[in-house]
């Protein structure tokens, strides 16, 4: 097969974006097709089943497990109020009574005459799903969720921390290769999504959290800082559920790497607009990348852009994603078909690339580049 | 090969040293009468000093003096020690010594006194001492000690400083190891005891089989060390049965043992977070008669078909009766006792046996409590130090250290 | 399948992985009278959108086979031709699958180290990924266990517990837990979760009473009928059946694929296990196989039980040790010093950490520079080492077994905790997975395996050339002879033999006298502690050898005992490893360590030494 697998990150100035907003369990959808929704609008809700508490009833009552049924006062499935008794055993002609009372509002789930246990299920927990992006509901999946559609400027990152959030986009660095340092953050940035350059330092991140910054979008991040930030060494790239008070999106990778110019430019263009950021990342089959979505009103639209999935051919803009040219941008000049021996003596299919920065030409394995998608 | 040569060389050297020292220690026996010795004695006037060497419970005065000239020694018969309670010259003879001696200890617990009127030395009295030099001709030359002395009782027995240091070392070891155990936690190495490791598996086995576990505390009284160690193991076993939710049967031979065992098991269930699973019927009293007890427990084993039997504590003739029945019933059995005579029976009939002191160590091993673990480690080190000292002492005695000292002295003199 | 084994001459086998579908063609060579793998084809797997039909990828890969072999394999309707003629069609078609994340299971048992462990062994042996083990004594509260079952959403649950006639209440309690959790399968909403019950036969009625309404319950023989014996076969087979009937049915295109195959589709790791088990049994050898992937590392072993000398198969999956998705987890678990000890040049910690994380977020990249390659291989050593430690801890003798004692055992009472992995008895070590199979130099694969597994005594090393083991595993169920022949001749690339005496000996002292009769002449000499030597001996070649371990060194026959044997060659050759076992003697000083390591690497021709030394100076 002549197909080269070239993973790419999507960076687009205008895209029709559809987001599925699905409940973890079946529930109720609160909007209908055609509704316009805001980020915070609740589109679906459900209730997670409550915790189950087993009670060693037979032993507490002092009766054999097989006879337990005779001492239970309620039926299976019945709701219990707090303090309500649901099992009673009498001894010595009713002189001594042992009563089991519900510790909280709950349901009598089951009674077992083998283990002698009674299972109590506490109240269900409500779960809500919000729209996340502003837009229109185009589809309702009955009892499961909705699809929200919006025109938006869109940028994917390579790696992120933290869940969904939104705020006003603000540039704090003037160039893609400028590091985001603490002095660039002030109290005014509260509630904003800050866009930095090549790297965010640990101190800057700390200051951002102190000042209630919603999210940071930056080119690179140091692994040592990540470890200190999370408090543990991240083993596999599955994130999104961290609760650190900020969402971080890294666009390029680990270490100081200038943010791709295209991404930087896009952010610059939309400065001052509302942006939705999600740091959730899953690098596995069914990949999930962190993203910045800047929804647009209908009035801002002029024409629909044609989006095309890229393939490698001479002239394709690419980025190198592994040492020794890590992070450099360039254009494909040649695609030799024969396998070539690399410095590491690995035989691989390669391509020749001309770098944008210095016009030099280098040979890199095809696996180590990504197409810059538009 | 190398070792053997070294050993042989050592032996040869030892023998040579010993014989040489013996030769050097021999002195020429030249005794001739000379009446001009008196002025020489007077001239060499031995200056005596007195010191209070009282120690814990014993009042003692040590009198020391310079040795007499070697030349005049042959003319001296004895050295006599006199004591007076006050300075009234009522000196009483309290000791006779050889001519070459240089010290005498007058202690309150010394029985033999030449003049019975002297009595034992007492604290807070004022004493004067004199040394008499008795020549072969029968003259006595008296020399007063420089000063009087008032012996005082003291707290410590200086003589027992060695045990004291040993205690101190042990003490430091215990404290030290407890600290290490606290810091390193479970990392502190204790030789694994297979029997203890297997207890979890044995309880697991009972759980899978859906049969109870039998725990026998032995015939000991509650204050026996073996029984006390057994409580700790029982606590652990009970905690596990609580976790596994398996039935536990503890038949007791002594009412008091039963009460403690009940408390132990209840606490263990509470600790495991299953207080509801505990009932007082688990631990019960059977009988205090040895063989009636055996009959009852054996019956239990066969009726309840216990999957696991534990025997920890003091056992006598019943050990084999119990464990053999268990073995035939197909139970996993773990035993531990400090009764050496019963060990062989347990070893042959049980799956795992804790031998002697392992029983005591087991509680520390199981609990992993820094206090117990530290003490266990310290005990082991103290034992090791004792072993090394015994070894060194044996060597020292075998090669005659005293002889070597004399030999070296002689050598130095010669040089 | 109703063909006789002797009539089977042409075999097509595919393995549908999560990214690529690999097909191989096996043909019977009439002249030589043996089965050989002749061609292979590859195509992207088509389970996910936009295709959502696994058969497309299968057909693409088979089409490539047909093009390469010149044999017509697909008919006009795009179906595999099953009537064989001279150069058209195949006799049988078989397949394995790990697409969609493989078979993800949860197991439950009463005691963690007994029935729960047996259940885990059964599930792992069937090729599943065990997401969690629920046991009565796992120190979790019931509501936590319920929460866990609900959260993980396994494809299948294996419930066991109690020996036959054993505990009832514990097993029923587990069933109640599962019932309370009311778990939903991971794939597909419309069907009930399959649960296999393989526990106490007396509890069957109660268990089905508790579970029947909520799940799809199947009952098989107890996997631990007595504590002294495991009976994993029925449970394992049932897992395969349920995998086919339920899980596979939910994956797009599998229904069609199942109708094509002549043997049930097996989960890929299960098939790898099957071929390793078969080869070990046929040749009466002890084998360790390892497959290091991007996300997980599987270790398979067949060792003889020290008690009854019966071969025991074990498989473990280290779900978070791998070379791309999980690479960062290797760093987290092994710690940095352990990784950097394999790197023969100084490297900045920050840079190394960032490089590793970048590989994690860009898993498909390949090392271009020598530096990256050395780092990646250092990480592979640690991943393999950790996976093997986990394997050793799992591959143990059965626990809870009654022992018979005599008075002689008084001071020698061993527990039952012992692992059955005895490296001295190991005959063959097989590596597979990108980092081992596709290392630029085979010497690198050999070195990685020796460093990570530390084979003792005399051990043959091999790698799986093109990851053919899954195909052969499923073939072994149908045609054992063809599978084993191809396994030894085409699948394995023999690297050579590692000769490593055991013992802690002072650096620089004599360890072993050797005398090897090579076809080119006899090599004699003395191996010193801390030394490695390599002698060329080609694939298929053999040489008589006499090894005399010195002093405390042991080569399997006891301390200082002479060993006369025949050593087998390979693409690397005969490696004498005098680094000491089980601990390698490595100097504490960093520079001395690097110098010693460079020495080893140079003797074994592992890397381009000039460039490697240049890295150290830069």
């Amino acid at each position: 097969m002549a197909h080269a697998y070239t993973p790419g990150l999507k960076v687009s100035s205008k895209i029709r974006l559809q987001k599925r907003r699905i409940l973890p369990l079946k529930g109720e959808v609160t909007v209908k097709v055609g509704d316009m929704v805001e980020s915070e609008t609740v589109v679906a809700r459900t209730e997670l089943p409550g915790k189950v508490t087993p009670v060693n009833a037979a032993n507490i009552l002092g009766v054999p497990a097989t006879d337990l049924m005779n001492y239970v006062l309620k039926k299976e499935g019945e709701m219990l109020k707090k303090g309500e008794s649901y099992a009673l055993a009498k001894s010595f002609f009713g002189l001594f009574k042992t009563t089991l009372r519900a510790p909280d509002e709950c349901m009598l789930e089951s009674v077992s005459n083998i283990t002698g246990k009674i299972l109590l299920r506490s109240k269900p927990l409500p779960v809500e799903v919000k729209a996340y992006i502003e837009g229109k509901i185009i589809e309702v999946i009955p009892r499961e969720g909705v699809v929200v559609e919006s025109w938006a400027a869109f940028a994917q990152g390579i790696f992120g921390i933290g869940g969904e959030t939104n705020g006003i986009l603000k540039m704090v660095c003037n160039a893609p290769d400028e590091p985001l340092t603490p002095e660039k953050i002030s109290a005014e940035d509260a509630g904003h999504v800050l866009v930095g350059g090549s790297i965010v330092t640990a101190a800057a991140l700390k200051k951002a959290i102190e000042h209630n910054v919603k999210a940071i979008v930056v080119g690179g991040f140091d692994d040592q800082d990540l470890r200190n930030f999370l408090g543990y060494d991240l083993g596999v790239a599955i994130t999104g559920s961290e609760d650190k008070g900020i969402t971080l999106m890294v666009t390029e990778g680990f270490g100081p790497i200038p943010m791709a110019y295209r991404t930087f430019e896009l952010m610059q263009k939309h400065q001052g607009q509302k942006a939705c950021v999600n740091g959730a990342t899953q690098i596995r089959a069914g990949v999930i990348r962190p993203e910045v979505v800047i929804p647009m009103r209908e009035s801002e639209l002029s024409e629909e852009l044609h989006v095309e999935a890229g393939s490698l051919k001479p002239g394709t803009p690419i980025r190198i994603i592994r040492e020794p040219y890590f992070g450099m941008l360039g254009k494909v000049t040649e695609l030799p078909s024969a396998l070539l021996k690399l410095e590491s003596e690995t035989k691989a299919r390669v391509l020749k690339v001309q770098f944008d920065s210095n016009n030099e030409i280098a040979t890199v394995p095809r696996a180590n580049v990504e197409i810059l998608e538009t | 090969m190398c070792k053997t040569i070294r050993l042989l060389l050592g032996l040869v050297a030892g023998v040579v040293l010993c014989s040489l020292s013996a030769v050097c220690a021999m002195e020429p026996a030249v005794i001739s009468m000379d009446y001009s010795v008196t002025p020489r004695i007077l001239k060499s006037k031995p200056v005596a000093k007195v010191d209070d060497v009282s120690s814990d419970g014993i009042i003692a005065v040590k009198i020391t003096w310079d040795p007499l000239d070697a030349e005049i020694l042959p003319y001296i018969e004895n050295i006599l020690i006199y004591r007076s309670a006050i300075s009234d010259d009522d000196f009483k003879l309290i000791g006779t010594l050889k001519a070459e001696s240089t010290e005498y200890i007058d202690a309150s617990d010394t029985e033999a006194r030449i003049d019975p009127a002297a009595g034992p030395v007492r604290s807070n009295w004022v004493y004067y001492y004199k040394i008499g030099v008795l020549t072969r001709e029968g003259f006595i030359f008296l020399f007063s000690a420089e000063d009087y002395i008032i012996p005082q009782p003291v707290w410590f027995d200086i003589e027992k400083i060695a045990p004291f240091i040993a205690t101190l070392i042990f003490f430091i070891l215990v404290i030290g190891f407890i600290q290490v155990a606290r810091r390193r936690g479970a990392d502190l190495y204790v030789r694994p005891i297979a029997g203890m490791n297997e207890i979890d598996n044995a309880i697991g086995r009972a759980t899978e089989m859906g049969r109870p576990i039998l725990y026998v505390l032995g015939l000991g009284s509650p204050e026996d060390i073996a029984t006390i160690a057994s409580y700790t193991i029982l606590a652990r076993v009970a905690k596990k049965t609580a976790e596994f939710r398996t039935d536990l049967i503890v038949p007791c031979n002594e009412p008091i043992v039963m009460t403690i065992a009940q408390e132990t098991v209840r606490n263990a269930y509470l600790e495991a977070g299953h207080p509801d699973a505990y009932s007082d019927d688990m631990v019960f009293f059977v009988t205090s008669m040895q063989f009636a007890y055996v009959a009852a427990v054996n019956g239990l084993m066969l009726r309840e078909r216990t999957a696991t039997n534990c025997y920890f504590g003091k056992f006598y003739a019943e050990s084999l009766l119990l464990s053999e029945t268990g073995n035939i019933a197909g139970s996993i059995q773990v035993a531990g006792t400090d009764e050496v005579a019963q060990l062989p029976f347990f070893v042959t009939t049980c799956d795992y046996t804790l031998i002697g002191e392992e029983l005591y160590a087991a509680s520390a091993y199981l609990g992993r409590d820094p206090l117990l673990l530290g003490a266990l480690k310290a005990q082991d080190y103290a034992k090791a130090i004792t072993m090394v000292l015994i070894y060194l002492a044996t060597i020292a005695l075998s090669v005659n250290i005293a002889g070597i000292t004399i030999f070296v002295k002689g050598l130095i003199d010669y040089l | 399948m109703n063909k006789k084994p002797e009539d089977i001459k042409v075999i097509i086998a595919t393995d549908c992985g999560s990214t690529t579908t690999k097909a191989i063609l096996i043909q019977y060579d009439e002249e030589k009278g043996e089965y050989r793998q002749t061609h292979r084809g590859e195509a992207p797997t088509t389970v996910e959108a936009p295709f959502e039909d696994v058969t497309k990828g299968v057909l693409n890969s088979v089409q490539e086979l047909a093009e390469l072999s010149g044999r017509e394999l697909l008919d006009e309707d795009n179906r595999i031709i099953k009537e064989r003629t001279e150069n058209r069609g195949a006799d049988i078609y078989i397949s394995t699958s790990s697409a969609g994340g493989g078979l993800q299971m949860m197991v439950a048992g009463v005691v963690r180290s007994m029935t729960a462990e047996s259940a885990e062994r059964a599930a792992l042996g069937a090729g599943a990924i065990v997401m969690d083990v629920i046991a009565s004594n796992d120190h979790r509260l019931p509501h936590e266990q319920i929460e866990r079952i609900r959260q993980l959403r396994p494809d299948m649950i294996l419930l066991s517990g109690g020996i036959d006639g054993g505990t009832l209440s514990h097993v029923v309690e587990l069933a109640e837990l599962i019932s309370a959790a009311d778990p939903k399968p991971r794939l597909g909403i419309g069907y009930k979760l399959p649960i296999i019950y393989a526990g106490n036969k007396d509890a069957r009625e109660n268990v089905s009473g508790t579970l029947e309404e909520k799940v799809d319950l199947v009952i098989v023989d107890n996997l631990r009928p007595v504590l002294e014996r495991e009976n994993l076969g029925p449970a394992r087979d049932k897992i395969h059946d349920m995998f086919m009937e339920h899980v596979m049915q939910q994956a797009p295109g599998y229904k069609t694929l199942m109708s094509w195959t002549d043997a049930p589709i097996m989960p890929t790791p299960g098939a790898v296990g099957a071929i390793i088990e078969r080869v070990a049994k046929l040749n009466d050898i002890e084998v360790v196989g390892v497959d290091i992937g991007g996300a997980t590392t599987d270790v398979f072993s067949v060792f003889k039980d020290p008690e009854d000398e019966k071969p025991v198969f074990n498989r473990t999956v280290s779900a978070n040790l791998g070379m791309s998705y999980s690479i960062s987890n290797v760093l987290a678990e092994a710690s940095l010093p352990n990784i950097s000890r394999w790197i023969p040049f100084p490297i900045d910690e920050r840079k190394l950490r960032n490089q590793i994380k970048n590989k994690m977020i860009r898993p498909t990249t390949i090392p271009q520079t020598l530096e990256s390659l050395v780092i990646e291989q250092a990480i592979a050593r640690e991943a393999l080492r950790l996976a093997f430690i986990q394997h050793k801890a799992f591959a143990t003798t059965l626990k809870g077994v009654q022992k018979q004692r005599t008075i002689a055992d008084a001071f020698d009472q061993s527990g039952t905790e012992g692992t059955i992995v005895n490296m001295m008895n190991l005959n063959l070590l097989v590596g597979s997975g990108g980092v081992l199979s596709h290392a630029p130099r085979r010497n690198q694969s050999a070195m990685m395996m020796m460093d990570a597994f530390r084979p003792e005594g005399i051990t043959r090393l091999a790698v799986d050339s093109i990851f053919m083991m899954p195909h052969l595993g499923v073939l072994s169920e149908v045609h054992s002879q063809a599978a084993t022949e191809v396994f030894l001749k085409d699948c394995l690339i023999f690297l050579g033999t590692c000769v490593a005496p055991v013992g802690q000996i002072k650096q620089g002292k004599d360890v072993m006298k050797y005398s090897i009769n090579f076809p080119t002449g006899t090599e004699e000499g003395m191996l010193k502690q801390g030394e490695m030597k390599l002698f060329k001996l080609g694939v298929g070649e053999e040489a008589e050898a006499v090894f005399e371990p010195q002093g405390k060194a042991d080569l399997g026959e006891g301390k200082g005992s002479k060993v006369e044997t025949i050593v087998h060659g390979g693409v690397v050759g005969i490696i004498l490893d005098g680094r000491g076992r089980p601990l390698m003697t490595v100097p504490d000083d960093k520079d001395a360590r690097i110098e010693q390591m460079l020495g080893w690497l140079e003797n074994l021709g592992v890397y381009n030494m000039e460039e490697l030394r240049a890295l150290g100076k830069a």
Side-chain angles (χ1 to χ4, degrees), chain C residues 15 28 83 87 100 163 243 248 372 390 420 470 542 563 587 612:
Chain C
D15 171 40
Y28 186 72
E83 264 95 56
N87 48 34
I163 58 166
F243 176 66
M248 286 288 91
S372 313
Q390 290 180 5
I420 58 165
E542 289 176 354
V563 175
L612 197 63

Side-chain angles (χ1 to χ4, degrees), chain A residues 10-28:
Chain A
K10 212 166 240 158
V11 177
S12 173
S13 58
K14 206 172 287 177
I15 185 174
R16 192 206 294 261
L17 205 65
Q18 294 183 351
K19 287 271 161 198
R20 283 168 75 86
R21 311 294 296 161
I22 301 291
L23 286 167
L25 279 177
K26 284 196 175 176
E28 167 204 10

